[in-house]
Amino acid sequence: MNSARVKTFYYLMKLGREFELAAKQEYMKGNIAGFLHLDIGQEACSVGSMQAFDKGDVFTHYREHVLAIARGMDPKVVMAELFGKATGVSKGKGGSMHLFDPTLSFYGGDAIVAGHLPIATGCAYARKVQGEKAGVFAIFGDGATNAGAFFESINIAAAWKLPLIFFCENNYYAIGTRIGWVSPFEELFNKAKNYMPAKRIDGMDVCEVYKAVTEAKEYLENGLGPYFIEAETYRYEGHSMSDNGKYRSEEEMEIFKSRDPIEKLKREAIALGIVEESYFDETDKKIEQEINEAIEFAANSPEPELNELYEDVYCKECTNVVS
C-alpha cells in the first residue's frame, strides 16, 4: 500500500458513496424514476476490482454506479442517465440499471440475475480465439450463484480454460432472502473450487480486493483459465429503493458498519503515516463540489427527443465491441 494508491482508493470510494447518497435524495424528490440499486457499503469491491482489472472487458449486474465511475465514467453522465436525460451514458434510455460504454469495455448492467454470466463467458471465448491476453471480468451477487446460468458458465469456462474472472459479492442477501434459506452453505467459493482456483476474501478491505484481482488477472493472462473470487461484503441499504431492509437486525448492521471500507482505509492510512489527515478533508470538499456539479448537469440536461424513441433498441453497426 503506497500513498498514491491509497489516495486513489479513497477518492473513488468516497466519490461513489457520495454519488449514491445524492442519487437516493434525488430519487426521493422524484427526479429519478424506475429502479435504483445502491452499492453503499460495498465500495471496496467496486473500486478495488476496477483498479486492478484495468484492461479487458467488464460485465456487471445492475448495482453498478460505483463500478462505472471507478472504471472511468464521468459522474455527470452517470447522474444524467439516472435522471433519464439525453446526455446520459445510454442517452437516458437505460437508466440506473444499464450503464453501457464500449469505449471503456464496460458492458453493464444486466437486469437479469446471472443473465450476464453466459455473455461474459462468450466474450472470454472470443478473447481466447483472438489470442488476446486481456481477459474478462464478471461481477455478480450471491443470489446469482444459485442460477443455472452460473453453473453452465463456470463449467464451460473451466472446460475450455477461458480467460474469465468470476467475482462474487457475497452480501448474504439476495433481495430480502438470507443466504442460508436458499444455499446449503455460506462460503460460496466452494461452488467453484472443483472447476478452477477459488478463494474467499474480505470484501470490506479495498487493498485485499485489489491484491486478489491482481493475482487472478495474472493467472488468466498466463493462459491458465478462469479464476473465482468470493468477496464477503455488506450493503447498508435495501435491495432497491422499494426495500426498507427490515429483515436484517440492527446488531448485524452495526457489525458490518464497524468494518466500513472507507473509514477503515482512512484510519489505517493515517495510523501508518502514509497519508496526512488533511488530504481526506480536502478530498471530501472536492467530492462535494463534483457531486453538486453532477446533479446540476443532470437537472439542466434535455430529455431525449420523442422521435428517437425507437432508436438504440438494436445495434445497427457495432464498434468497440468484441465480435
Side-chain angles (χ1 to χ4, degrees), residues 22 33 71 75 93 106 126 147 160 201 205 211 215 240 247 265 323:
R71 187 66 173 176
K93 300 177 183 179
F106 190 87
W160 292 352
I201 65 170
D205 185 331
K211 181 174 182 291
E215 291 174 355
S240 69
Y247 42 83
L265 181 71
S323 60

Side-chain angles (χ1 to χ4, degrees), residues 244-256:
N244 60 19
K246 291 298 184 183
Y247 42 83
R248 301 180 294 186
S249 70
E250 292 183 5
E251 291 79 9
E252 181 179 276
M253 182 71 76
E254 288 306 313
I255 289 172
F256 279 96

Side-chain angles (χ1 to χ4, degrees), residues 155-173:
N155 179 69
I156 203 68
W160 292 352
K161 294 190 180 304
L162 302 182
L164 173 56
I165 297 174
F166 293 91
F167 189 94
C168 175
E169 293 177 314
N170 184 1
N171 62 26
Y172 297 99
Y173 291 94

Side-chain angles (χ1 to χ4, degrees), residues 56-57 123-124 126-135 163 220-221 223 322:
D57 302 292
C123 183
R127 288 292 186 197
K128 182 170 183 174
V129 169
Q130 292 171 344
E132 297 185 11
K133 291 188 68 175
L220 66 85
E221 286 181 348
V322 177

